[in-house]
Amino acid sequence: MLNAMLLDPQTRLDSKKRDGLQELAGTLRDAILIGDAMIGLEKRGNAEWRAWTSTISHRLGAVRVVSELVRAADAAGDRNLPPTLLKLTETADHSTEHAELALVLPRFGRVLNSLSVIGGMLERDEPLKPAMVIFSRVNEQILELTTFIDNRLERFLDADAEVFSSLDAASYTASMELKKVYSHELAALAQLRPAPSVYARIETAYSLLNDGFQQILAGFVRLVDPSVDVFSIFPSFVAKREQSLSLRSELAKLVKLIQKAEAAPQDAAINAMQTAIADFMETTVRFLFYKDTETVERFVAEIMVTRNNEDLVPLLHRFGAYLETLLGQVGLRTVIATDSFKA
C-alpha cells in the first residue's frame, strides 16, 4: 500500500524512481502470492521457511530502489534527534569525547524514528499485528546500536571519562529494554487473537522502548549542555510527567480508602471507597497502560456488584494488594522516578 501511494501520479516522480518502484511492486506482489500459498500448505516446516525467506531476500536484494529506500529511512532517522544533540552531530570541531557521542547519536535517532511509526499506528487505532514487522527492524537496530557502542568503548582511551560511563550505561539500558520487550511483551504475539490483548502488548512494548530511549537521549543532552531543561527536549515529557504524578497520587489515595474499608467494612467507608473508585474510573484510569486498565476494570466490576460486606473483604484485600504493586510500578516511570513521594 505504501508503495502504491508512492506510485500515485500526483507524486510526480522522475521516470527512474518510478521504474524502480514498479519493479518493487512486482516483487511485493510475488511475495504476497507465495506467502498466501504457503499459508495454505498442510505442512510448513523449517525447510519451507528457509526457502521462502531466502527467495524473498534474494528478490528484494536485486531491486535497487530497496537500498535507496533504506538509506532514505536511515537518513531521516539520523536527524530525528533533539536540537542540542543534532547540532553536535553536525559539528566537525569538537572534543574527542563529544566526537564519540556524535558517532553514536544517529543510531538512537533511527530507533526512535522507527518507533514513531508504531506510535502513530496506536494513535490512529490501526490494525497492530503489522507492527511486528517494524518491531523486528527495531530489534535489529538496537542490536546494531549496542554492538557499535561496545566496539567503540573497547577502543576508548579514558575509561574514567563521563561520556564513557554514559555510553556504557546507554548500551546496558538498551540491552535490558530489548530483553524485557522481546522476551515478554512481544513473545508469541502473532498467535494472539483477541484485539484488546494485542493492543495491550503492543502499547506496553512501544512505551517501554520509546520512553527508555528518550530518557537515554535526555541524559546525553545533560552531558552536552547541563543548562538545558530536559522536559523541553521531548514535548511528551511534560504531559507524561503530569499524568504520572496525578496517577501516583490518586492510586495512593485509593489504596488507603480500600484498606480502610477492608479493615472496617461499614457502609460509610465502603460508600466513600466506591465514590473514589467511580471518580478514578472516569478520569485518572486512562493514564494506566491498557493491560493494567483491563485488570482494574475487572476488579471494579466485581466490587460494585458485591452487596454483602463480608464477601467484599477478601476482594478488597486482593484489589488493594494489586493497586499497591501498580503504585510501585508507576513510581518507577522514568519521568517521575527521581521525585520523592510519600503515600
Side-chain angles (χ1 to χ4, degrees):
M1 182 61 69
L2 291 171
N3 197 55
M5 291 168 62
L6 289 173
L7 285 168
D8 189 293
Q10 295 183 357
T11 58
R12 298 178 182 177
L13 295 172
D14 60 56
S15 58
K16 185 177 179 181
K17 290 181 180 178
R18 186 170 296 278
D19 290 344
L21 292 173
Q22 289 284 12
E23 184 183 4
L24 176 58
T27 300
L28 293 174
R29 279 195 295 270
D30 290 348
I32 292 170
L33 290 171
I34 296 171
D36 286 342
M38 283 193 64
I39 291 172
L41 293 176
E42 293 183 3
K43 177 187 176 183
R44 294 190 301 274
N46 290 333
E48 288 80 7
W49 169 253
R50 286 195 297 270
W52 187 77
T53 54
S54 62
T55 299
I56 301 305
S57 178
H58 178 74
R59 287 289 304 275
L60 288 174
V63 180
R64 181 176 297 180
V65 75
V66 169
S67 59
E68 295 176 3
L69 291 170
V70 172
R71 283 196 298 271
D74 286 345
D78 290 348
R79 298 185 57 79
N80 188 36
L81 293 167
T84 301
L85 299 181
L86 182 59
K87 182 179 178 180
L88 180 65
T89 65
E90 296 173 339
T91 303
D93 183 22
H94 38 49
S95 66
T96 302
E97 292 185 6
H98 284 180
E100 289 294 332
L101 194 56
L103 288 172
V104 171
L105 286 172
R107 295 173 182 267
F108 282 93
R110 293 178 190 180
V111 173
L112 287 174
N113 201 44
S114 297
L115 288 171
S116 69
V117 179
I118 301 173
M121 294 171 71
L122 286 164
E123 289 178 5
R124 296 186 294 271
D125 198 24
E126 295 178 359
L128 291 175
K129 280 197 175 181
M132 288 300 294
V133 179
I134 305 172
F135 273 120
S136 179
R137 177 56 180 156
V138 170
N139 179 57
E140 293 177 349
Q141 290 175 325
I142 296 175
L143 289 173
E144 292 171 358
L145 167 66
T146 54
T147 300
F148 183 80
I149 292 177
D150 293 343
N151 288 338
R152 300 301 305 180
L153 292 178
E154 288 179 2
R155 305 172 193 172
F156 208 87
L157 298 177
D158 185 7
D160 295 325
E162 190 174 4
V163 71
F164 180 94
S165 300
S166 295
L167 287 173
D168 189 35
S171 177
Y172 176 79
T173 302
S175 298
M176 290 300 99
E177 294 296 342
L178 186 70
K179 183 178 180 180
K180 188 188 306 179
V181 167
Y182 287 87
S183 65
H184 180 62
E185 298 299 339
L186 299 180
L189 183 65
Q191 300 173 14
L192 289 180
R193 293 288 178 239
S197 300
V198 173
Y199 185 95
R201 295 273 204 96
I202 295 288
E203 180 199 43
T204 304
Y206 163 76
S207 297
L208 287 172
L209 289 174
N210 191 66
D211 293 354
F213 274 78
Q214 285 186 346
Q215 278 298 130
I216 291 173
L217 289 184
F220 288 150
V221 170
R222 293 190 193 98
L223 182 63
V224 174
D225 187 356
S227 65
V228 174
D229 178 12
V230 295
F231 287 97
S232 67
I233 301 170
F234 297 104
S236 60
F237 270 20
V238 176
K240 288 179 180 177
R241 176 179 168 78
E242 292 176 353
Q243 292 171 2
S244 297
L245 287 172
S246 175
L247 179 60
R248 184 172 63 179
S249 176
E250 293 302 313
L251 280 174
K253 293 177 183 177
L254 200 54
V255 167
K256 288 183 178 180
L257 288 172
I258 290 171
Q259 290 174 340
K260 184 177 179 181
E262 178 191 354
Q266 306 301 319
D267 289 344
I270 291 173
N271 290 337
M273 176 201 67
Q274 290 179 333
T275 300
I277 288 176
D279 291 341
F280 179 80
M281 296 304 294
E282 289 180 2
T283 55
T284 321
V285 73
R286 67 179 183 274
F287 301 147
L288 288 170
F289 284 143
Y290 187 83
K291 66 175 184 178
D292 297 319
T293 302
E294 279 192 305
T295 306
V296 170
E297 287 175 346
R298 287 196 295 270
F299 269 116
V300 170
E302 193 171 352
I303 288 171
M304 293 304 186
V305 299
T306 303
R307 299 304 177 191
N308 188 303
N309 290 354
E310 292 183 2
D311 294 337
L312 195 58
V313 171
L315 179 58
L316 292 179
H317 179 76
R318 296 197 305 274
F319 189 37
Y322 174 76
L323 290 184
E324 283 188 292
T325 302
L326 201 55
L327 179 60
Q329 292 176 351
V330 171
L332 293 175
R333 292 184 178 182
T334 51
V335 289
I336 61 171
T338 58
D339 291 5
S340 58
F341 176 74
K342 290 183 180 181

